Amino acid sequence: MFLSLIVMIFLITGCTYTGAIRDDFYAATQKESAKINLTVGVVDTSKNKNKAFIFGGGGYSVDIKLGAIANGLQSELSTIFEKVILTDGKRCSFCDLNVTYESIWKNTLINTTSGNLTFDTALKVNFTDAKNTTIHNFVATDTAMYNTPGSVHALGFITGFTLFALSPITIPAITNVIGEHAEQVLEETLKRQISQIGEKVVLEPSLKEFSVKNWSNNTPDSASQHVSSKYDDLMDAVTIIRTSSGFGSGFFISKDGLIVTNAHVVGNNGNVSVKLRDGRTLLGDVVRRTEAFDLAIVKVKGSGFTWLMIEDADEAPVGTDVITIGTPKGLEWTVTKGIVSANRKEVRGINVVQTDAAINAGNSGGPLISLSSGKVLGVNAFTLFRNQQAQGLNFAVSSKEVAKIVNSLPR
């Protein structure tokens, strides 16, 4: 009865609630996985900014702008990608990927007695590359339940009981209560949907694969074509390993895709990009990591890879001619030559090989190879006095330590 009275009053007054989702309505939770090394633009078009949740009946209406969805997506995607920016209506020209979205609301149930509403809703998010080619579409669905607040019925009772004398006060109050509650329902629903989108993005391999390919196509010093060298077989076994925080080197130790590198090269990442000398770039899984020895094992899918043997000796003979292969300062597959200067124990008790072969940033994880046997004597790790005047004091984790971690892998 009282709801019928309210409807009659709304027919006369035509009250409208106008509002908007708060820009900061969504706060993303940090992800445990490493960020994908891509720059993403969330395209905030005027269409999206002005899109509103609109519902009306019996002379009243609710008009709530949904433009803040873009802010929510930016917050969530910033925990997944290296950099996420909010664009103003246009695609981001320098971004690796652009994101567009659409929020759809369909009223599926109206309870005319209670005023309760049910909506089926979907948030569609589309990732495209620089050529506007779709990489992947994501959809998060939900059901939004709007239950009329008890205060609306109370205000309706007061309105009817006073024979509408207080309607100039109660009707706007009812409209505000309906609208504010609708905003809360909208925000909670959109929070769930944006979180769903984030979970799906994290699990979607095509975006990580795109990151790998994108890096492969944009490296400044491609070595896919090279002049023949007597070191080709050794160089073919060496890889470049890249994460969101930098890059280093590695090398195959089996034909079925096992790669040795430094623990500090892979960091805390579960996956890394692995570039081969033939130009291919593969996704690698970090299957073993030991900070104590600064060593890690990465596995890529495939077989028939050129690989290097680990020297099975306690110490490398001093004076042995050696080469290092890696990517110092981003210069791919650089070979430097020297000798074994000494065998030492590092302060943590790790066996290391001292060499005067140049080791620079980017060489980490690459092999120190004996020229007489072609076997790996150690994994290039660090240089002493990097910022001082000393030269030729370079170190590799001994093959003895490498063998320990390799032999610990399940067969």
Side-chain angles (χ1 to χ4, degrees):
M1 174 181 175
F2 289 118
L3 188 61
S4 299
L5 292 174
I6 294 170
V7 169
M8 289 176 61
I9 298 168
F10 280 149
L11 285 169
I12 299 170
T13 60
C15 288
T16 300
Y17 178 89
T18 302
I21 300 298
R22 295 172 297 117
D23 286 345
D24 61 349
F25 83 99
Y26 186 84
T29 302
Q30 292 299 317
K31 307 293 186 294
E32 294 183 0
S33 57
K35 291 185 178 182
I36 301 173
N37 190 31
L38 291 172
T39 298
V40 176
V42 178
V43 184
D44 192 17
T45 65
S46 58
K47 176 183 177 181
N48 287 330
K49 287 180 183 178
N50 297 322
K51 185 177 179 63
F53 170 84
I54 298 175
F55 183 79
Y60 76 94
S61 65
V62 172
D63 184 331
I64 301 173
K65 297 290 191 297
L66 301 177
I69 293 175
N71 301 69
L73 286 172
Q74 182 190 25
S75 176
E76 177 67 16
L77 296 178
S78 292
T79 68
I80 303 171
F81 296 94
E82 194 65 28
K83 185 176 182 180
V84 180
I85 63 173
L86 193 60
T87 74
D88 190 14
K90 296 181 180 179
R91 288 174 54 83
C92 172
S93 60
F94 61 85
C95 291
D96 302 307
L97 294 172
N98 276 274
V99 170
T100 54
Y101 66 92
E102 181 182 11
S103 181
I104 301 171
W105 295 74
K106 182 180 179 182
N107 185 211
T108 56
L109 180 64
I110 304 175
N111 188 320
T112 56
T113 301
S114 65
N116 296 343
L117 308 172
T118 301
F119 293 86
D120 284 341
T121 177
L123 179 60
K124 297 183 178 181
V125 177
N126 184 38
F127 282 77
T128 57
D129 63 13
K131 297 181 180 179
N132 206 19
T133 301
T134 296
I135 302 300
H136 201 84
N137 286 310
F138 298 92
V139 180
T141 58
D142 205 331
T143 299
M145 308 288 293
Y146 177 89
N147 297 319
T148 304
S151 57
V152 170
H153 297 289
L155 288 168
F157 177 83
I158 293 171
T159 303
F161 186 77
T162 61
L163 300 177
F164 314 125
L166 295 178
S167 61
I169 298 173
T170 57
I171 297 307
I174 290 172
T175 305
N176 283 334
V177 170
I178 291 174
E180 289 173 358
H181 184 56
E183 280 185 3
Q184 294 175 7
V185 172
L186 289 172
E187 288 188 359
E188 292 303 316
T189 304
L190 290 171
K191 284 179 184 178
R192 294 193 296 270
Q193 289 181 318
I194 291 173
S195 181
Q196 283 184 49
I197 293 293
E199 292 171 359
K200 292 182 178 184
V201 169
V202 168
L203 296 175
E204 176 52 46
S206 63
L207 296 176
K208 291 182 179 178
E209 291 169 1
F210 179 85
S211 174
V212 170
K213 293 177 182 178
N214 185 66
W215 170 61
S216 175
N217 293 333
N218 290 283
T219 47
D221 181 23
S222 177
S224 58
Q225 297 181 353
H226 52 268
V227 178
S228 179
S229 164
K230 63 181 179 180
Y231 300 133
D232 275 345
D233 288 343
L234 303 177
M235 296 168 71
D236 287 344
V238 177
T239 68
I240 302 172
I241 294 179
R242 183 181 176 112
T243 69
S244 60
S245 57
F247 63 90
S249 303
F251 57 94
F252 284 103
I253 58 168
S254 72
K255 64 180 180 181
D256 58 351
L258 283 179
I259 298 169
V260 170
T261 185
N262 288 137
H264 76 262
V265 169
V266 300
N268 294 322
N269 298 285
N271 301 106
V272 295
S273 313
V274 179
K275 184 175 182 181
L276 280 56
R277 194 173 180 229
D278 62 12
R280 287 180 293 165
T281 303
L282 308 175
L283 187 64
D285 297 319
V286 180
V287 297
R288 185 63 57 86
R289 178 191 293 107
T290 169
E291 303 292 343
F293 295 96
D294 193 19
L295 293 172
I297 304 292
V298 175
K299 181 71 168 68
V300 297
K301 293 181 180 179
S303 60
F305 299 106
T306 303
W307 58 286
L308 300 175
M309 293 184 65
I310 305 297
E311 182 64 71
D312 184 19
D314 289 341
E315 292 188 346
V318 173
T320 301
D321 289 325
V322 294
I323 60 170
T324 68
I325 305 174
T327 308
K329 304 295 184 181
L331 301 173
E332 301 177 349
W333 286 276
T334 295
V335 177
T336 58
K337 189 175 182 181
I339 64 168
V340 172
S341 304
N343 294 277
R344 303 188 184 281
K345 276 193 179 293
E346 193 253 354
V347 291
R348 293 170 294 177
I350 303 172
N351 292 292
V352 296
V353 180
Q354 181 182 332
T355 179
D356 64 349
I359 297 177
N360 295 289
N363 274 118
S364 292
L368 179 69
I369 304 171
S370 166
L371 285 178
S372 60
S373 67
K375 296 181 180 179
V376 176
L377 300 179
V379 180
N380 302 326
F382 57 92
T383 299
L384 287 186
F385 311 112
R386 186 183 302 278
N387 297 318
Q388 300 181 33
Q389 296 302 313
Q391 296 181 3
L393 296 179
N394 307 307
F395 295 85
V397 179
S398 169
S399 60
K400 182 177 181 179
E401 309 292 8
V402 178
K404 291 178 184 177
I405 186 173
V406 172
N407 292 334
S408 70
L409 293 172
R411 300 296 179 182

mmCIF file with all atom_site columns, all heavy atoms in Angstrom, residues 95 214 319 393:
data_model
loop_
_atom_site.group_PDB
_atom_site.id
_atom_site.type_symbol
_atom_site.label_atom_id
_atom_site.label_alt_id
_atom_site.label_comp_id
_atom_site.label_asym_id
_atom_site.label_entity_id
_atom_site.label_seq_id
_atom_site.pdbx_PDB_ins_code
_atom_site.Cartn_x
_atom_site.Cartn_y
_atom_site.Cartn_z
_atom_site.occupancy
_atom_site.B_iso_or_equiv
_atom_site.pdbx_formal_charge
_atom_site.auth_seq_id
_atom_site.auth_comp_id
_atom_site.auth_asym_id
_atom_site.auth_atom_id
_atom_site.pdbx_PDB_model_num
ATOM 1  N N   . CYS A 1 95  ? 52.396 2.501   -26.219 1.00 0.00 ? 95  CYS A N   1
ATOM 2  C CA  . CYS A 1 95  ? 52.161 1.342   -25.361 1.00 0.00 ? 95  CYS A CA  1
ATOM 3  C C   . CYS A 1 95  ? 52.268 0.042   -26.158 1.00 0.00 ? 95  CYS A C   1
ATOM 4  O O   . CYS A 1 95  ? 51.955 0.000   -27.351 1.00 0.00 ? 95  CYS A O   1
ATOM 5  C CB  . CYS A 1 95  ? 50.778 1.423   -24.710 1.00 0.00 ? 95  CYS A CB  1
ATOM 6  S SG  . CYS A 1 95  ? 50.633 2.739   -23.478 1.00 0.00 ? 95  CYS A SG  1
ATOM 7  N N   . ASN A 1 214 ? 57.499 -9.601  -28.017 1.00 0.00 ? 214 ASN A N   1
ATOM 8  C CA  . ASN A 1 214 ? 57.709 -8.158  -28.102 1.00 0.00 ? 214 ASN A CA  1
ATOM 9  C C   . ASN A 1 214 ? 59.141 -7.790  -27.774 1.00 0.00 ? 214 ASN A C   1
ATOM 10 O O   . ASN A 1 214 ? 59.773 -6.982  -28.445 1.00 0.00 ? 214 ASN A O   1
ATOM 11 C CB  . ASN A 1 214 ? 56.761 -7.437  -27.136 1.00 0.00 ? 214 ASN A CB  1
ATOM 12 C CG  . ASN A 1 214 ? 56.847 -5.932  -27.253 1.00 0.00 ? 214 ASN A CG  1
ATOM 13 O OD1 . ASN A 1 214 ? 56.483 -5.366  -28.276 1.00 0.00 ? 214 ASN A OD1 1
ATOM 14 N ND2 . ASN A 1 214 ? 57.317 -5.283  -26.212 1.00 0.00 ? 214 ASN A ND2 1
ATOM 15 N N   . GLY A 1 319 ? 96.057 -21.226 -15.453 1.00 0.00 ? 319 GLY A N   1
ATOM 16 C CA  . GLY A 1 319 ? 96.693 -20.993 -16.740 1.00 0.00 ? 319 GLY A CA  1
ATOM 17 C C   . GLY A 1 319 ? 95.890 -21.522 -17.915 1.00 0.00 ? 319 GLY A C   1
ATOM 18 O O   . GLY A 1 319 ? 96.240 -21.252 -19.076 1.00 0.00 ? 319 GLY A O   1
ATOM 19 N N   . LEU A 1 393 ? 89.838 -8.882  -12.221 1.00 0.00 ? 393 LEU A N   1
ATOM 20 C CA  . LEU A 1 393 ? 89.441 -9.687  -11.066 1.00 0.00 ? 393 LEU A CA  1
ATOM 21 C C   . LEU A 1 393 ? 87.993 -10.112 -11.239 1.00 0.00 ? 393 LEU A C   1
ATOM 22 O O   . LEU A 1 393 ? 87.072 -9.495  -10.714 1.00 0.00 ? 393 LEU A O   1
ATOM 23 C CB  . LEU A 1 393 ? 89.630 -8.908  -9.767  1.00 0.00 ? 393 LEU A CB  1
ATOM 24 C CG  . LEU A 1 393 ? 91.070 -8.547  -9.423  1.00 0.00 ? 393 LEU A CG  1
ATOM 25 C CD1 . LEU A 1 393 ? 91.127 -7.748  -8.135  1.00 0.00 ? 393 LEU A CD1 1
ATOM 26 C CD2 . LEU A 1 393 ? 91.930 -9.809  -9.300  1.00 0.00 ? 393 LEU A CD2 1
#
